[in-house]
Amino acid sequence: MTTIQFPETLKWGAATASYQIEGAANEDGRSPSIWDTFSHAPGNVKNGDHGDEACNSYHLYKEDVQHLKKLGVDLYRFSIAWPRVMPEGRGKLNPKGVAYYQNLIDELIENGIEPMITLYHWDLPQVLQDKGGWENRDTIDAFNEYAVAMFKEFGDKVSKWITINEPWCASFLSNYLGVHAPGKTDLQAGVDVAHHLMVAHGKAVQSFRELLPDGEIGYAPNTGWLEPFSNKQEDIDACKRGMMWQKEWFMDPVFKGSYPEKLITIFENHNAKLKLEDGDLELISQPIDFMGINYYTGSLGRYKEGEGLFEVEEIPLDYRKTDIGWPIYADGFYNVLTDLHETYGDVPIYITENGACYNHEVEDGRVHDQERVDYLKQHLTSLHRAIESGVPIKGYIVWSLLDNFEWAFGYEKRFGIIHVNYRTFERTPKDSYYWYRQTITNGWFEV
Ligand code: JJW
């Protein structure tokens, strides 16, 4: 037996996002988001699922907070639904929407849990999409207005903030690959949205410094890991190009004040231009307090002529896959974290998401999700190795507290450490919940 021991200062958490758990889509003055539109249009989401009811956390938040309390986490990462608090996209606040988050925050604090707020977890107000959404630079100002309002409403009680969740998903996956809302397949739209999201991030950070100088703010990019199939230079280069799309494209502008030239050229070769305006890079590269990292999967990468934008094919070999089909690659997690540290220096890191999809059901009141426990053990071992290697890891936040609406996969794919019955909304903690609770209590586990 080997003991994997974590520093006492490491913060433990669990995460969710508004559209995935809240439901109450048409209650108390919430307006539709692009995900309401997208999920209600046939063919976009598995089984025609949508977030109208989701986990009903809008009404069951007190029960959810009790599950967090028993779990013993330091942090709860949740997101605010922009169309719930600002139904017109900008301007007037909706008092009932604001009250929901005020109540949730109070409930968390009373129970000894620190809130960590994500401002944008993909539910853009549809009224803004109707004017071009993130392709339109006006949305940058709208986001700043919304962010400032939230800093003013909740900044006295909440010190940890995340601007944008997974900008790669919100831009390229949503506007070039067409998988997520608004479902476009246009590389230029992907490049424009990616850039505008980052400018919006920078603008919100600037506002944050004025309003909440003592708080902490960051963003939460997602990245996998591609390990070169061989030591051939063509495989090494292919993996670098593939990684650049998620990693350097969204991190160089923040930490180096520039976009990777290689990628600008590749986009240009596909008729998509990066449109920079004066001051954009200065805004994006303002110092932030931490970087959030969302990590789930990785594989081997090999050069293949003409394969995708970056001429790299992914080879999962015989790695086991989770129930969503993503290869389990825990070494990639260690590789990403040490690589980020080498590339960008001592920026504090929170793992803002890591977790696994397994679709176990309830049997006699229990959910035996040993596979999820194994996944968490493997990835927490990688995290421990990264900490031992000097990567400044501040916290680990599991995705997700609850089974929930997994975007284009709908309710079929379960990531929770708590099972949700979508008919009754009953919550049943899984074996992984109890394992995580024990690990948090101990500060260590054995492998
Ligand atoms: C799909 C890539 C080819 C969420 C996808 C890539 C290939 C056409 C999980 N993170 O629910 C989905 N998640 O809300 C945020 N992260 O397709 C939180 N990334 O398409 C979780 C990535 C993802 C994806 C899903």
Side-chain angles (χ1 to χ4, degrees):
M1 287 284 215
T2 304
T3 302
I4 303 293
Q5 171 89 50
F6 296 96
E8 272 179 25
T9 50
L10 187 77
K11 303 250 189 219
W12 299 95
T16 62
S18 46
Y19 191 69
Q20 295 180 274
I21 66 158
E22 286 178 4
N26 303 306
E27 287 178 49
D28 292 344
R30 178 186 179 277
S31 72
S33 78
I34 54 174
W35 269 96
D36 296 83
T37 310
F38 185 75
S39 61
H40 281 279
N44 289 330
V45 176
K46 192 84 193 286
N47 303 319
D49 288 346
H50 50 69
D52 285 8
E53 282 93 33
C55 306
N56 197 25
S57 288
Y58 188 71
H59 296 293
L60 299 180
Y61 73 92
K62 287 192 181 178
E63 184 181 337
D64 293 341
V65 172
Q66 286 313 303
H67 284 301
L68 287 162
K69 185 184 184 182
K70 286 183 204 131
L71 182 59
V73 285
D74 303 294
L75 296 169
Y76 177 47
R77 176 182 177 226
F78 65 94
S79 79
I80 294 176
W82 183 351
R84 197 182 285 292
V85 294
M86 213 176 238
E88 290 157 42
R90 52 202 309 171
K92 274 206 310 288
L93 284 174
N94 170 26
K96 286 187 177 165
V98 173
Y100 168 67
Y101 297 106
Q102 199 64 259
N103 293 337
L104 170 61
I105 290 164
D106 288 344
E107 190 74 11
L108 288 166
I109 292 171
E110 276 166 31
N111 285 281
I113 300 153
E114 184 180 355
M116 179 187 250
I117 292 181
T118 309
L119 286 167
Y120 188 71
H121 204 123
W122 308 351
D123 35 7
L124 182 73
Q126 180 62 40
V127 286
L128 295 180
Q129 186 63 42
D130 295 342
K131 295 178 188 156
W134 285 110
E135 285 179 76
N136 182 345
R137 283 188 70 106
D138 290 347
T139 299
I140 298 167
D141 293 322
F143 178 75
N144 187 51
E145 235 177 77
Y146 154 65
V148 164
M150 297 303 101
F151 298 152
K152 286 183 175 164
E153 289 292 330
F154 308 128
D156 57 335
K157 293 175 182 166
V158 179
S159 61
K160 292 188 173 57
W161 295 77
I162 290 166
T163 53
I164 309 284
N165 184 67
E166 298 188 351
W168 181 86
C169 289
S171 54
F172 294 110
L173 187 65
S174 305
N175 294 278
Y176 170 55
L177 298 173
V179 177
H180 281 185
K184 296 184 73 162
T185 50
D186 173 351
L187 183 59
Q188 183 63 60
V191 171
D192 290 345
V193 168
H195 179 57
H196 296 161
L197 284 167
M198 296 315 293
V199 179
H201 156 83
K203 230 177 155 163
V205 171
Q206 188 178 52
S207 302
F208 188 80
R209 295 298 175 220
E210 286 166 25
L211 290 165
L212 302 172
D214 299 327
E216 293 172 57
I217 193 161
Y219 71 133
N222 58 306
T223 175
W225 181 261
L226 283 176
E227 182 70 20
F229 185 81
S230 77
N231 68 359
K232 280 193 225 159
Q233 198 58 44
E234 62 180 28
D235 288 346
I236 295 169
D237 292 345
C239 286
K240 280 217 174 99
R241 286 192 302 272
M243 288 294 297
M244 230 180 249
W245 198 21
Q246 292 196 332
K247 199 161 59 71
E248 281 86 345
W249 188 259
F250 293 99
M251 297 183 193
D252 279 8
V254 173
F255 300 107
K256 296 183 170 174
S258 60
Y259 278 102
E261 289 294 334
K262 242 202 198 112
L263 219 48
I264 295 178
T265 307
I266 293 174
F267 289 147
E268 277 174 1
N269 292 342
H270 290 83
N271 300 314
K273 234 179 111 44
L274 172 67
K275 300 171 203 153
L276 283 180
E277 291 193 7
D278 278 354
D280 282 358
L281 283 166
E282 286 74 12
L283 270 175
I284 301 175
S285 62
Q286 295 190 60
I288 55 174
D289 302 299
F290 64 88
M291 166 154 58
I293 290 296
N294 296 358
Y295 181 87
Y296 290 94
T297 185
S299 54
L300 299 179
R302 183 161 63 180
Y303 171 68
K304 188 176 179 191
E305 197 185 335
E307 177 78 18
L309 283 176
F310 306 105
E311 303 196 292
V312 57
E313 63 171 336
E314 289 187 26
I315 301 169
L317 281 182
D318 59 352
Y319 299 133
R320 279 198 230 155
K321 294 178 179 174
T322 60
D323 286 349
I324 202 167
W326 300 349
I328 301 171
Y329 195 47
D331 286 349
F333 191 28
Y334 170 77
N335 294 340
V336 161
L337 294 171
T338 48
D339 175 277
L340 289 173
H341 188 217
E342 275 165 37
T343 314
Y344 300 113
D346 279 329
V347 44
I349 293 175
Y350 282 90
I351 308 310
T352 34
E353 287 180 26
N354 173 244
C357 171
Y358 288 106
N359 300 325
H360 304 89
E361 287 295 339
V362 181
E363 297 168 54
D364 301 325
R366 296 293 296 258
V367 183
H368 299 301
D369 61 337
Q370 186 57 42
E371 289 91 338
R372 183 174 285 100
V373 173
D374 291 342
Y375 179 101
L376 293 177
K377 278 186 180 175
Q378 289 162 3
H379 287 75
L380 281 168
T381 301
S382 286
L383 185 77
H384 172 72
R385 292 177 61 209
I387 293 171
E388 289 293 299
S389 305
V391 185
I393 309 283
K394 301 298 171 199
Y396 175 87
I397 302 170
V398 72
W399 183 270
S400 174
L401 179 69
L402 303 170
D403 288 340
N404 59 49
F405 176 76
E406 182 46 44
W407 308 113
F409 295 97
Y411 295 103
E412 209 175 78
K413 302 296 181 200
R414 296 175 177 272
F415 276 84
I417 57 172
I418 297 175
H419 181 276
V420 175
N421 177 322
Y422 293 113
R423 217 168 18 80
T424 62
F425 304 121
E426 189 182 350
R427 277 89 163 122
T428 307
K430 303 180 188 180
D431 288 354
S432 57
Y433 172 98
Y434 297 107
W435 179 84
Y436 192 45
R437 183 178 72 172
Q438 193 61 51
T439 300
I440 293 171
T441 306
N442 292 345
W444 52 263
F445 64 88
E446 283 187 334
V447 284

